[in-house]
Amino acid sequence: MVETRKALKLLREQGYRITTPRRQVLGILAEAQRPLSPYEIQDMLKEKGEYLNHVTIYRVLELLCSLNLAHKVLLAGGFVICSLGESRGCHRFVVCRECGRLKEYASEALCAEETEMAEQLGFRAEQHFSEFSGVCATCQK
Amino acid sequence: MVETRKALKLLREQGYRITTPRRQVLGILAEAQRPLSPYEIQDMLKEKGEYLNHVTIYRVLELLCSLNLAHKVLLAGGFVICSLGESRGCHRFVVCRECGRLKEYASEALCAEETEMAEQLGFRAEQHFSEFSGVCATCQK
DNA sequence: GTATTAGTGCAATAATATTGCATTTGTACC
DNA sequence: GGTACAAATGCAATATTATTGCACTAATAC
Ligand SMILES: [Mn+2]
Ligand SMILES: [Mn+2]
Ligand SMILES: [Zn+2]
Ligand SMILES: [Zn+2]
C-alpha cells in the first residue's frame, strides 16, 4: 500500500495542500482495504464522529485517482487506495464476485500482451488498468 | 457481434419470452456499437418515435448481461452488445480514454496468465472480463 | 501575524436506480 | 383464431448518487 504518509508527501510535491478532508479520506481508504463508495466513506467517518460533506469526498477522490493514489474499481463499485507504490502504469485487480474482496497486482507479462493486442486493434495502450472477477479463497468453501 | 437474431434465439432457448422491449433494446445496442447508458437507450428509442419505460430498460439490460449477450463496460460507463459469439468466459475491452470508442476481443494467453496470477493471490478465476484504456487510431492524430 | 487563494461546505438541482403493484402481452394449448 | 396463465411491462413513488455555483474557511508563503 502507498502509505498515507507517502501519499500526503506526493500531494505536496504536486503543489496540492494537505487538508483535513484529504487526510481523512486517505485514512479511511487505508484502513478499509476494500472498495468504498463516497457515501460509505462518509458513513465510516460519521462512526468516528467526524463529518465531511459528500461533495468534498467526491472532489478528494477525484484528485487521488488523478494521481493514482487511489483507484475507482469498477467491478466492485467503489474506491480503493493504491496498494502498489511503484508501478506507475499498471494497476490490476482481481475481484471476488461473491464478497467483493479484491487484490491489486501488476504484471509485465500482461502489459506486454495487452499492448500487442491494442496495436492489432489500432489502439495505443498507455495506462493499464484491468479488473477481472473470480472467487476468493474464503468464498470457495 | 452476436446478431440480434441469434440473441433472440438464445433467449427462447433459455425460456425467456421474445418481447418488444427486448427486441428494441437489442436493436439499439446492435446499431450503436458503443456503450450506451440506460437513459441513452431510452433517448435513442424516442428519436425513432418509440417509448420504453426506464425501469424496463434496466430490467432488459440486466437479463442480457446475465446471459452475456451484452456487457456493462465500466470504464466507458455503459452497456454494449457482446461482439464475440463464442468465447463464453472471456470478454475484454480496450477503451479509448479520449472518445470512449471501444473494441471487444478475447485472448487465450491473457486468460492463462490471469488464471495463474489469480491462483497466486488465492483466487479461482472463472469469468474473465477485463478492460483497459488507451488511445484509438482516430484520436492519436 | 497577515495576505492570498486553494479548498471546503452548503443549498439547490440533476441524474440515476430501485420497489411494489396494477395492467398488458407472449406463449402454450385447444 | 380464441383462451388461460404466467411472465414481463408500465407507472408512481421513493431512494440513491452525482454535479454546480457561490459564499466562507483554512493551508501555505512571506
Ligand atoms: Mn495502483
Ligand atoms: Mn462478450
Ligand atoms: Zn470472496
Ligand atoms: Zn478515440
Side-chain angles (χ1 to χ4, degrees):
Chain A
M1 150 181 82
V2 172
E3 336 166 22
T4 300
R5 201 176 309 181
K6 287 195 180 174
L8 293 173
K9 184 157 163 285
L10 195 136
L11 282 179
R12 282 303 285 285
E13 289 168 4
Q14 302 291 325
Y16 298 100
R17 296 183 180 175
I18 308 290
T19 67
T20 309
R22 286 172 184 168
R23 283 178 193 285
Q24 287 170 309
V25 171
L26 274 169
I28 292 292
L29 288 181
E31 286 176 32
Q33 292 292 334
R34 68 172 183 95
L36 298 177
S37 75
Y39 287 93
E40 282 179 310
I41 293 170
Q42 191 176 48
D43 290 342
M44 301 192 67
L45 282 167
K46 268 181 198 155
E47 286 174 15
K48 295 186 172 187
E50 300 171 14
Y51 170 78
L52 276 187
N53 188 281
H54 69 278
V55 179
T56 302
I57 297 174
Y58 276 95
R59 299 198 268 226
V60 170
L61 288 171
E62 187 183 14
L63 176 63
L64 295 179
C65 287
S66 76
L67 298 173
N68 273 345
L69 294 172
H71 303 293
K72 182 169 195 175
V73 178
L74 300 143
L75 283 177
F79 295 83
V80 279
I81 199 160
C82 175
S83 55
L84 307 171
E86 349 305 337
S87 64
R88 291 260 168 264
C90 179
H91 308 265
R92 301 172 181 280
F93 302 91
V94 214
V95 184
C96 176
R97 68 157 164 70
E98 288 297 330
C99 68
R101 230 178 296 253
L102 98 179
K103 295 266 174 90
E104 182 173 3
Y105 65 98
S107 161
E108 281 298 324
L110 285 174
C111 286
E113 188 72 32
E114 282 183 356
T115 300
E116 191 180 324
M117 198 66 225
E119 275 165 20
Q120 285 180 36
L121 297 168
F123 281 64
R124 185 186 57 214
E126 297 186 322
Q127 297 256 62
H128 294 257
F129 293 100
S130 77
E131 305 180 10
F132 74 98
S133 68
V135 186
C136 80
T138 312
C139 292
Q140 283 176 39
K141 292 157 196 169
Chain B
M1 150 182 80
V2 171
E3 338 165 21
T4 301
R5 200 176 309 181
K6 286 194 182 177
L8 293 173
K9 183 158 165 283
L10 195 135
L11 282 180
R12 283 303 286 285
E13 290 168 3
Q14 303 290 327
Y16 297 100
R17 297 183 179 175
I18 309 289
T19 67
T20 309
R22 285 171 186 171
R23 282 178 194 284
Q24 288 170 309
V25 171
L26 273 168
I28 292 291
L29 288 181
E31 284 175 32
Q33 292 293 332
R34 70 173 180 93
L36 298 176
S37 74
Y39 288 94
E40 282 179 309
I41 293 171
Q42 190 175 50
D43 290 343
M44 302 194 66
L45 283 168
K46 269 180 198 156
E47 285 174 16
K48 297 186 170 185
E50 300 171 13
Y51 172 78
L52 277 187
N53 187 280
H54 69 277
V55 178
T56 303
I57 297 174
Y58 276 94
R59 298 198 268 227
V60 170
L61 289 171
E62 186 184 15
L63 176 63
L64 295 178
C65 288
S66 76
L67 298 173
N68 273 345
L69 294 171
H71 302 292
K72 183 168 196 175
V73 178
L74 301 143
L75 282 177
F79 295 84
V80 281
I81 198 160
C82 175
S83 55
L84 307 171
E86 350 304 337
S87 65
R88 290 261 168 263
C90 180
H91 309 264
R92 300 172 182 280
F93 302 90
V94 213
V95 184
C96 176
R97 69 158 163 69
E98 286 297 329
C99 68
R101 230 178 297 253
L102 97 180
K103 296 267 174 88
E104 183 172 2
Y105 65 98
S107 161
E108 281 298 325
L110 285 174
C111 286
E113 188 72 31
E114 282 183 355
T115 300
E116 191 179 324
M117 198 65 225
E119 275 166 21
Q120 284 179 36
L121 296 169
F123 281 64
R124 185 185 58 211
E126 297 184 321
Q127 299 254 64
H128 294 256
F129 294 100
S130 77
E131 305 180 10
F132 75 99
S133 67
V135 187
C136 81
T138 311
C139 292
Q140 283 177 38
K141 292 158 195 167

